[in-house]
Structure formats: C-alpha cells, structure tokens
Amino acid sequence: QVQLVESGGDLVSAGGSLRLSCAASGRAFSFVAMAWYRQAPGKQRELVAAITSGGSTNYADSVKGRFTISRDNAKNTMYLQMNSLKPEDTGVYFCNRHGPPFYPWGRGTQVTVSS
C-alpha cells in the first residue's frame, strides 16, 4: 500500500514562496498521475495541480502562473513550488492520485499566508 507524506508547509507573508514535497512509498508512484489538493478552513478539498507519469501538467485557474508541479520518479517524490502566495492560498495541502481510486490520505502540510 502506498503511503504519502507531505512536508514543507509554513507561515509566510503574502508574496512569499514555499516548496512543498510529497514522499511516496512503493514503486507504483512512478506509473500514476498525481496531484496536489488543498483544503481551506470551512471549505471542501479542491484540486490545485496535477501531473501525469510522463510530466504533463495542469493547474487550477487560481494558481496558474504562480505554482509549478513537478515530480522525480527516481526518488518517488513530487513537488509543488508556490510563488507569489496570497492569503487565499492558505490551507492544508495534500498529495494523492489524480482522481479515484485514491491512496490513503496523508496528514497534509499546513500553509498559512498572512496579508
């Protein structure tokens, strides 16, 4: 069973940058499309960015031009580079497959952007 561990979240000021990491156990990671999701307080979890096993990407309109998703299949790791952060980017960020069936969800990593 694949296990996911997110890291890299922090408290930053608006306009700042963060780089999130998602470490996955198991070789299955390399062959599946993966994604970053976020859940803001009081809101449902939403898709932020996705990447295929071959590296093709797509983004939510709200983060286009500011966030970059990438992966290193040799290291079973996925990343999310977040630039020009806004207060509305605040939330818990999770990684998982791009669509069901999902792996067991990790604990996520908290990103807080102050204005």
Side-chain angles (χ1 to χ4, degrees), residues 10 15 22 24 29 63 71 73 80 84 86-87 96 101 106 109-110:
D10 206 343
C22 167
F29 171 87
V63 306
R71 66 191 298 166
N73 289 337
L80 186 67
S84 302
K86 303 176 180 180
N96 212 310
T109 187
Q110 176 71 46

Side-chain angles (χ1 to χ4, degrees), residues 37-60:
Y37 302 82
R38 68 185 177 194
Q39 187 164 18
K43 295 187 177 180
Q44 289 190 329
R45 192 173 295 171
E46 63 174 347
L47 177 68
V48 174
I51 185 168
T52 67
S53 58
S56 297
T57 60
N58 64 78
Y59 299 91

Side-chain angles (χ1 to χ4, degrees), residues 11-77:
L11 170 63
V12 296
S13 299
S17 297
L18 284 174
R19 188 192 195 204
L20 306 184
S21 297
C22 167
S25 63
R27 290 180 291 178
F29 171 87
S30 300
F31 305 105
V32 301
M34 295 291 293
W36 284 98
Y37 302 82
R38 68 185 177 194
Q39 187 164 18
K43 295 187 177 180
Q44 289 190 329
R45 192 173 295 171
E46 63 174 347
L47 177 68
V48 174
I51 185 168
T52 67
S53 58
S56 297
T57 60
N58 64 78
Y59 299 91
D61 287 344
S62 60
V63 306
K64 279 181 182 176
R66 300 188 298 120
F67 290 11
T68 303
I69 188 172
S70 62
R71 66 191 298 166
D72 184 337
N73 289 337
K75 295 182 178 181
N76 272 14
T77 303

